[in-house]
Amino acid sequence: MALVGGGPALLVHGGAGRVEASGRDDRVAGVVRARDAAWALLEQGATALEAVLEAVRRLEDDPLFNAGTGAALNRDGFAELDAAVMDGEDLGFGAVAAVRDVKNPVLLAAEVLRSEHVLLVGEGASRFARERGIPACDPGELVTERQRRRWSLARRRALEERSGTVGAVALDAAGRLAAATSTGGMVDQRVGRVGDTPLPGAGTYAEAGLGAVSATGHGEYFARALAAYRAAGALRDAPPERAVRTALEAVARLGGAGGLILVDAQGRLAWHHTTPEMSVAWRTQAGEGAQIAPGA
Ligand code: ASP
């Protein structure tokens, strides 16, 4: 799907995967709330970076999504969180991975962006959070009953459904681009496993003059394909719709599936997914919308 825009423009996703029919409306409502909060900031003159942080922070706090509170649980039954944010203006990148005690990892990723580092992991990321005044949360607060049930099912190998990583891309009124992504990874993942989300160019990418991209799906494949960078780079010779498909084709050639959202430097939006569903909400000067799109 592609939409013609002009800045500001905003596109939010709530993960690619398979969603139970009963949960679809709630997911759409969740991405719409995050979109509206971020759009309100853009209208007040906020930067693209501030807008994507607001959208992703809201989705991290929504227990329905696999990020922050409500994140997927790993093999030992607790959440390890990954998040990244990228500012297209100067290729600034900040990310955290395998964090266990931070309620909003995307805000910690933003602190990393403002530091001399690109990626901090585990215990080191937690210590950095305290240095920056981000309080520790009890890891138990991140665990929802829903994810505990999914985890038990996955352990019995009865669960194939996965979805709920969150992300946002924005172009602000001044033409700046930014992307942010946040996830608890894959349900029942190995302790210490990190996917594509916090890797520059894999799950998250933004570059001035090109576009901003956030990915969701089986992270190992997105990382190997450098999917987010591939989509942004494809904008040099292709329209947005073609660019996201090109990147997902590269992921599919490796055996992976998932989705991508993109805004280009003109404010044109595009998204595509190779999983059964992906929830998205968007807004441009031309209008707004939201859907949990059927698969390609
Ligand atoms: N990409 C995320 C990961 O592999 C998971 C997802 O998007 O569902 O960690």
Side-chain angles (χ1 to χ4, degrees):
M1 170 77 93
L3 292 174
V4 178
L10 174 71
L11 177 54
V12 174
H13 76 77
R18 179 174 295 124
V19 177
E20 323 83 85
S22 60
R24 290 182 186 151
D25 291 350
D26 290 345
R27 266 173 203 265
V28 173
V31 286
V32 164
R33 277 194 299 273
R35 175 202 68 193
D36 291 348
W39 184 262
L41 291 185
L42 284 172
E43 280 193 321
Q44 291 158 25
T47 63
L49 189 69
E50 289 164 337
V52 296
L53 288 173
E54 178 65 7
V56 170
R57 182 186 71 81
R58 298 260 174 167
L59 290 165
E60 286 179 341
D61 286 342
D62 187 330
L64 210 55
F65 296 93
N66 170 17
T69 305
L73 307 182
N74 66 12
R75 215 164 271 188
D76 283 5
F78 58 86
E80 287 187 311
L81 308 174
D82 305 336
V85 60
M86 186 154 184
D87 185 348
E89 279 303 281
D90 57 354
L91 300 184
F93 191 89
V96 293
V99 177
R100 300 177 182 182
D101 63 354
V102 172
K103 188 169 172 285
N104 291 110
V106 79
L107 301 184
L108 182 54
E111 291 294 339
V112 176
L113 172 75
R114 290 188 270 270
S115 78
E116 70 274 35
H117 302 297
V118 162
L119 172 63
L120 290 174
V121 306
E123 170 61 26
S126 295
R127 282 198 214 166
F128 178 72
R130 305 304 95 83
E131 274 171 36
R132 295 293 171 126
I134 297 177
C137 76
D138 175 352
E141 282 174 35
L142 302 171
V143 179
T144 56
E145 194 38 51
R146 179 174 165 275
Q147 288 291 0
R148 172 90 47 219
R149 266 199 317 275
R150 292 183 73 226
W151 178 69
S152 318
L153 278 170
R155 294 187 72 73
R156 299 204 305 270
R157 299 286 169 244
L159 179 79
E160 282 182 32
E161 173 249 40
R162 63 164 190 274
S163 184
T165 288
V166 304
V169 295
L171 173 77
D172 64 30
R176 291 171 292 230
L177 289 158
T181 316
S182 182
T183 190
M186 313 283 279
V187 65
D188 202 33
Q189 68 183 7
R190 188 181 289 276
V191 175
R193 178 264 182 191
V194 174
D196 58 316
T197 298
L199 305 179
T204 310
Y205 192 72
E207 183 171 336
L210 278 182
V213 183
S214 171
T216 166
H218 200 141
E220 278 71 5
Y221 300 98
F222 279 72
R224 289 165 59 205
L226 277 181
Y229 178 72
R230 195 178 286 266
L235 288 169
R236 291 195 179 91
D237 326 291
E241 169 84 3
R242 186 65 241 152
V244 286
R245 284 177 184 260
T246 298
L248 286 173
E249 281 159 16
V251 171
R253 276 197 296 278
L254 298 173
L260 285 172
I261 62 169
L262 176 152
V263 59
D264 78 356
Q266 287 80 52
R268 295 180 295 176
L269 305 178
W271 63 93
H272 187 62
H273 56 109
T274 52
T275 49
E277 280 107 13
M278 179 164 80
S279 48
V280 289
W282 65 89
R283 182 141 179 198
T284 68
Q285 295 296 7
E288 64 178 39
Q291 64 185 51
I292 187 153

